[in-house]
Each structure stands twice: as structure tokens, then as C-alpha cells.
Amino acid sequence: EPEVTQTPSHQVTQMGQEVILRCVPISNHLYFYWYRQILGQKVEFLVSFYNNEISEKSEIFDDQFSVERPDGSNFTLKIRSTKLEDSAMYFCASSEARTGTYEQYFGPGTRLTVT
Amino acid sequence: AQSVTQPDIHITVSEGASLELRCNYSYGATPYLFWYVQSPGQGLQLLLKYFSGDTLVQGIKGFEAEFKRSQSSFNLRKPSVHWSDAAEYFCAVGAIPVRWGKLQFGAGTQVVVTP
């Protein structure tokens, strides 16, 4: 069964450093998403991406964040200058989003630890 | 604004007993409703979804959920719990139309299964 994959599974970085989290969505999907889950808190929407542009973003997704689909398979989330509060599990998701129904398939997540 | 409430943070259930997890939502229109499960170290796996039609929906792993519009609820049930059902369960709501696909998650319910 097709699945969303994410690399790395765990990333440790120092405050102020740039990190890139990588995702390979399911191949025939059209919509891509990033969510994050701070330890002990809710899963929060960050951004959705369709047709090579951001469709919607949350308040969390400020200028320090960017997303890109650099080729036909990868979908990346970049944090330009990490802060301690960026420590969280980051989930990538994708959906086919055909008219009428859709469901989002999530990857296993990347645990980001900012020290 | 849409919101999702899962009143129970933690539930302990004996193996073989029935399980019901509560979810209440607040949304101005007909929502898309989902239940996801997260096992330790794993991503979010979709258990079931409700878009329209029959208000009792069947999912994977023997789970079912019932949409009750009058109560703004979408409770998840399983008649007989297995030890492998120990996990965290998230209710989520999505907008219709689903052009951008943002999901709003509840805080989650941690399920512990005892022998």
C-alpha cells in the first residue's frame, strides 16, 4: 500500500540553525500538508500546498518557515532560523482531493529537537 | 471558528471490554469528520471518516463511529478491545468544500488496555 515517507526520523539542531524536513507524498496525490505536534499538545495545521503554491497557512507559519516541491516527488519544510519552541514532531500529509471526498494520509513524522 | 473537543484525556479499558471515545465538534456547516490513531513512535493512521450519508460509519480494525448532528458528536466505538488498540486517538474536523484541506484536531484520548 502506498505511504507517505519522511526523513529524517529525528533531527537535532542548535538554535538559530536552518533545518530542512523532507517528505515524499503518495505519488498520485495533488495536495500536500505540514502539521506539527508539540509534545503533549494538539496536532496543529501549518500549511497546505497545491499546484506549486501555498493554499493556506496558519499563524504559526511565519516568515521563518517555507515549503517547496523541488521535484516531482519531494515536499520539503524549511525552518530558516530555529527556535527552542520549534521543537516538535512534524508530520507531512498528502491527499488526492478528488471532487467530493478526500482523506489525508500522514507520514510517520520527524521529531525535531532544538537545543 | 471550528473546534474539536475530546473530553477524555485518558481512558483505561480491560481487554475484551467495549470502548467508546467521545468527540464533539463546533462548525458552522456540515463538516468532514475523521478519527485517527497514533501508536507510539508511529504516524497518524486514518481509522474512519464521515462525509455524508449513513451516519454510522465503519472503519478499520473493527472500529465504528456515529455522527449525530443534533449533538454535534462523532463518537468512536469498538465492541471488544484488543491489547494492540492501546494508542492515542484523535478526532479531526475538516471544512467543506475541502479545497485546501486543513484539518483541525482534538487534543487526543490516550487509551490504555489492561489484561
Side-chain angles (χ1 to χ4, degrees):
Chain A
E1 184 177 331
E3 59 182 21
V4 177
T5 59
Q6 290 184 243
T7 54
S9 57
H10 191 192
Q11 173 95 44
V12 181
T13 190
Q14 289 190 325
M15 193 168 53
Q17 296 296 303
E18 175 183 287
V19 293
I20 298 176
L21 309 183
R22 292 184 166 78
C23 167
V24 178
I26 294 173
S27 62
N28 64 337
H29 283 186
L30 304 174
Y31 292 76
F32 314 111
Y33 317 87
W34 284 101
Y35 293 80
R36 80 171 185 190
Q37 184 183 29
I38 296 172
L39 190 64
Q41 297 186 24
K42 291 184 181 185
V43 177
E44 303 172 288
F45 169 79
L46 291 178
V47 66
S48 59
F49 189 86
Y50 169 70
N51 200 25
N52 284 317
E53 59 183 29
I54 290 174
S55 307
E56 185 176 4
K57 59 184 181 180
S58 71
E59 293 173 353
I60 303 166
F61 195 88
D62 61 21
D63 292 344
Q64 293 300 311
F65 291 87
S66 62
V67 288
E68 191 179 29
R69 189 156 162 81
D71 53 43
S73 60
N74 290 282
F75 180 52
T76 62
L77 174 70
K78 182 193 291 186
I79 308 175
R80 206 177 331 273
S81 177
T82 50
K83 302 189 275 283
L84 294 176
E85 53 265 38
D86 294 327
S87 293
M89 180 74 90
Y90 288 81
F91 292 106
C92 173
S94 69
S95 69
E96 187 180 13
R98 296 286 179 196
T99 301
T101 64
Y102 85 103
E103 54 196 59
Q104 294 183 21
Y105 293 86
F106 284 76
T110 293
R111 179 162 297 287
L112 176 65
T113 302
V114 182
T115 62
Chain B
Q2 61 193 59
S3 67
V4 182
T5 303
Q6 293 181 247
D8 304 304
I9 297 172
H10 188 272
I11 284 181
T12 299
V13 60
S14 299
E15 191 169 13
S18 63
L19 175 68
E20 181 166 13
L21 304 182
R22 295 183 290 164
C23 173
N24 294 99
Y25 68 90
S26 172
Y27 191 65
T30 302
Y32 282 173
L33 294 160
F34 306 83
W35 275 99
Y36 283 86
V37 60
Q38 184 181 28
S39 299
Q42 303 295 311
L44 297 163
Q45 182 182 24
L46 180 67
L47 284 175
L48 47 77
K49 60 187 184 287
Y50 173 78
F51 294 150
S52 64
D54 192 348
T55 56
L56 184 64
V57 293
Q58 303 296 321
I60 63 171
K61 305 186 179 188
F63 284 92
E64 67 178 27
E66 186 171 13
F67 171 61
K68 292 186 177 180
R69 185 187 302 276
S70 61
Q71 298 176 18
S72 297
S73 69
F74 188 57
N75 294 348
L76 181 72
R77 297 193 293 255
K78 185 168 184 177
S80 178
V81 167
H82 187 261
W83 64 266
S84 60
D85 294 322
E88 188 151 23
Y89 292 79
F90 294 92
C91 182
V93 61
I96 294 177
V98 295
R99 293 168 64 200
W100 313 132
K102 177 175 72 175
L103 292 181
Q104 179 122 5
F105 284 84
T109 298
Q110 185 73 45
V111 173
V112 173
V113 180
T114 59

